[in-house]
Every structure is written in structure tokens, then in C-alpha cells.
Amino acid sequence: MADDGDRHRQSRLFTDDDGDFDADRAREESLPVEDGEVIDTDDLADHQRYVEGRGIYDERNRVNDLTGKEWKYATKSVIAESYPPAVQHELRSEHGGQKPPRLCAELIGRFSKAGDTVLDPFAGVGGTLLGASFCEHEGTGRRDAIGFERTERWIEIYREVLEAENEERRARGEPPLAEQEMRHGDCAELIDDVADDSVDLLLTDVPYWHMDELEQTRNERETRESKLGSFDGAADADGAATDIDDADSGPDSGEEAGERQTKAEWLAEMGEKFDRFTDAVAPDGHVVVFIGDMYREQSYEFLSADLARAIESNAPLTLAANLIWYDPSKDLHVYGYPFSFVPSMVHQNVLVFRLEDDAADEQESRSSPV
């Protein structure tokens, strides 16, 4: 039987020659170290456990699988991360507004647990689906994902990307990414086939209001089509940006060619669709939405705020956070100089919603056995 000193070995304080805590020595002795101090695992509560290299995990965590230390950094409101061209970037670039799969994987890790189900009703070329598959191999555990997409070409690209990526992974001796479920059709119809409360996280990049198709610029030159990963607006002859060049204002919007929407109509449509989506989300689940703002005709279009209000007004959801994805690698352009200040957009908003308390209670009672 170990003596008392050995039994409490992990709670000793290791010091260097100056009497300060020696973290390196503590690690060499295989002691759990957190924020520069040895953790006395004997003092952990029944619902806590120490995860080596990650910190203390609380079993009561219903949001994700993060330890307290990881949770602290995950709550930062700005994601300052540039994602290098990867995961068959050139192939995915055919889509005007796809998001980096590893950014999607990071958000999935923040707002779901291993084994959960993720839904993307505007799936595009499958960034969310790829992100869910990456989670299996990058420390947070695989999620099952479902994507809705009505453009067959985007579905083809998702499958081509997955096949090409897995060929490269096998060549490197890495396990392949799992294929997720991509369903072809209109999300307004496909959502009826998803059981209530069966989705733990809804993560999507919404189709944008067709601002670039509604009008021409003041010099009657049409704005550019959206291109992958560019947050910057096309400048007109006077140097004013016409609209943000990012995301789904181009071919990924899901709207038929020639179809036009006013901003009010677009917001009403988004509000109605998210109201229908919410039935599928579990009471403890989250709804996370990418949305970029726009600058047009010397006016800032605060689309993220407009969309948040539209969703809250129509769906039983409450805005819990607005995260900012900032890409430090984005090129800057000179807009408006020297006559007017025009922003060079290098960020996107990530709106985080949770079910309202009444809606969550109703869904819990609906799923409880009688």
C-alpha cells in the first residue's frame, strides 16, 4: 500500500531554486498543471475530471465537450484566424460564398458535443458537412451532419472535394473523412422530413439579399459577382464601394435566375424559414448563422442586425451572441480616398441563437414520456 506521501504526490508544490513554481518539473513528474498551478485532483467534485493537457472538464456541460480552460478561449467574441487555401480550395471556389471547413469545425466544437447531429439548410458545397467530419480526427469527436442544397452542381462539388481530399489523406497515411448526408431539394420542403428536436446544432451561411442584382452603380456599371472569401466591396467610379463581395449574393443564393427581392422580402423569407427550422432543433441546441454586412451607395447596410431582428421576430429564438470572424490575411483596397471614408470589410458576423425558454420548455415536455 502506498504511503500517505505517495498518495498525495500530485498535490505537492514544486519550486525552482528561487522558490517559484516550476511548471516544467511538475510536468516531468506527470502532475496535472492548470494556469501555472498543480491541480489537486483529490479536491475535484464528483462531476469534474481532469483531462490531461486540456484542463478540468465538468460533466454538467450540456453545450459542448470543452474543458473550463478551453471554454474560456472559445467565448472570445473575435475569431482572428486566416485559413490557408486547403481542402480542395480551387474546386470549392466555384461556389461564391463557401466557408472554410475548419472554421466550421471550430464552431461545431463550440456549440455541440461528440455524436450530435448538425444541420445546414443552405449547405452549398458542404463546408459545414466537411467541418463535422474533420471533428472526428481533430480532437472534438465526430458529428453526423445533414445538408440541404437545391443546386445539383454544389452537391457534385461536395462529393468531388470529399473524394479528392480522402485520396490525399490516404496517401499521407491519414484516416479518411466520413461522408455526410447531402439532400437535394428546397430546404422549405426538406425540413418537413427532419424529426422535431433531432438536431443539436443548426449551422449555416444564409443566401444573401440580391443587392448586386437590384440596381446598377451610379455610373451604370454593374457590380461584380461575388467571389470566394473576399469581404471587400466593388468600388464605383467615385471610389464608393457598391456592396460586399462576399458570400451568397452570387450563384449560391438558391434564387432562380432573374428573380428579384426587396430587402424587406428577403428578411421576411429568412424569418419564415428559420421559424420552420427551429422545430427540428433540440431544447439545448443552438442556431449559428454567418452573415456579412454590406456597404452600398455611401450607406452601411447592417444586414447582421436586420437579420437578427427578423429571426427573433419570427422564430422562437433569442440572440445569445454575435461573434466576429476576422481574417487578418485579407487584402485591403483604397475606397473613397480622398473624399469619403469607406470601410474595407475584413470580417463576417456569426450570429448565435438559442431557443427561448418557453419554446425549450415546450419542446422538452413534448419529448418527455407521458
Side-chain angles (χ1 to χ4, degrees):
M1 179 176 179
D3 61 26
D4 189 65
D6 287 338
R7 186 163 57 87
H8 294 287
R9 174 175 175 270
Q10 63 182 353
S11 63
R12 296 180 196 157
L13 179 65
F14 282 81
T15 58
D16 57 23
D17 293 339
D18 297 325
D20 297 324
F21 174 67
D22 190 338
D24 290 337
R25 184 182 173 196
R27 292 189 182 94
E28 289 173 1
E29 295 291 332
S30 300
L31 299 186
V33 177
E34 184 83 6
D35 293 333
E37 295 184 2
V38 175
I39 297 173
D40 188 346
T41 54
D42 294 336
D43 290 341
L44 295 181
D46 291 340
H47 54 78
Q48 295 177 317
R49 58 184 171 86
Y50 180 77
V51 182
E52 186 173 356
R54 295 178 53 198
I56 300 172
Y57 178 72
D58 193 318
E59 302 286 356
R60 298 173 299 176
N61 183 350
R62 298 193 297 177
V63 178
N64 51 45
D65 292 325
L66 303 181
T67 65
K69 180 180 180 180
E70 293 165 337
W71 181 294
K72 178 174 66 175
Y73 290 102
T75 57
K76 289 178 65 175
S77 59
V78 176
I79 304 171
E81 183 73 40
S82 58
Y83 294 87
V87 197
Q88 315 307 314
H89 179 85
E90 289 189 7
L91 186 56
R92 289 186 294 110
S93 293
E94 186 175 327
H95 184 282
Q98 59 85 29
K99 293 298 180 288
R102 283 191 169 84
L103 170 60
C104 295
E106 180 175 341
L107 292 170
I108 290 169
R110 292 188 187 198
F111 297 105
S112 69
K113 300 174 73 67
D116 279 354
T117 298
V118 181
L119 171 67
D120 187 344
F122 306 106
V125 291
T128 297
L129 277 61
L130 291 165
S133 298
F134 271 121
C135 287
E136 179 179 7
H137 307 293
E138 299 185 355
T140 57
R142 177 182 163 178
R143 276 69 165 173
D144 293 321
I146 302 170
F148 299 158
E149 179 51 53
R150 71 182 190 179
T151 302
E152 290 188 10
R153 177 55 184 155
W154 305 148
I155 297 176
E156 291 173 1
I157 288 180
Y158 164 68
R159 291 174 177 154
E160 290 173 15
V161 165
L162 185 67
E163 182 179 356
E165 187 69 14
N166 280 339
E167 285 182 5
E168 294 184 6
R169 292 177 66 89
R170 291 188 185 97
R172 296 193 299 264
E174 300 174 359
L177 299 175
E179 181 174 2
Q180 303 286 1
E181 185 176 356
M182 181 75 90
R183 302 179 185 177
H184 178 237
D186 190 325
C187 63
E189 300 173 358
L190 294 176
I191 192 63
D192 292 336
D193 296 327
V194 180
D196 290 351
D197 310 338
S198 64
V199 171
D200 303 285
L201 169 63
L202 190 154
L203 173 61
T204 195
D205 184 8
V206 295
Y208 279 37
W209 170 38
H210 279 205
M211 185 177 287
D212 58 344
E213 295 182 359
L214 290 174
E215 298 178 10
Q216 296 179 339
T217 59
R218 289 176 310 196
N219 67 342
E220 298 183 353
R221 179 170 59 83
E222 291 187 0
T223 60
R224 296 183 293 171
E225 283 188 353
S226 302
K227 297 300 290 181
L228 171 69
S230 174
F231 295 161
D232 305 311
D236 65 19
D238 295 323
T242 53
D243 60 88
I244 297 308
D245 222 15
D246 176 68
D248 303 341
S249 56
D252 53 306
S253 64
E255 302 296 340
E256 299 297 334
E259 185 176 339
R260 300 293 185 268
Q261 280 185 310
T262 66
K263 182 178 177 180
E265 289 171 340
W266 172 73
L267 290 170
E269 179 189 0
M270 290 297 101
E272 179 183 351
K273 285 184 174 178
F274 276 89
D275 184 34
R276 298 183 68 181
F277 298 156
T278 302
D279 285 343
V281 180
D284 292 332
H286 287 81
V287 173
V288 180
V289 183
F290 284 102
I291 175 70
D293 298 327
M294 291 182 175
Y295 190 90
R296 176 174 174 267
E297 294 186 341
Q298 301 185 38
S299 177
Y300 191 94
E301 295 287 347
F302 215 152
L303 294 188
S304 55
D306 295 336
L307 181 63
R309 292 191 190 99
I311 290 176
E312 283 192 313
S313 297
N314 288 271
L317 295 169
T318 298
L319 183 65
N322 179 31
L323 306 180
I324 302 297
W325 171 36
Y326 159 56
D327 188 343
S329 70
K330 289 298 175 186
D331 292 333
L332 298 179
H333 303 281
V334 179
Y335 295 136
Y337 182 83
F339 304 109
S340 176
F341 180 85
V342 177
S344 189
M345 300 290 202
V346 294
H347 78 279
Q348 283 239 323
N349 302 280
V350 183
L351 306 178
V352 180
F353 298 90
R354 59 170 171 256
L355 266 68
E356 293 177 350
D357 291 340
D358 291 345
D361 291 343
E362 179 182 345
Q363 288 183 236
E364 283 182 342
S365 63
R366 189 171 61 207
S367 60
S368 299
V370 178

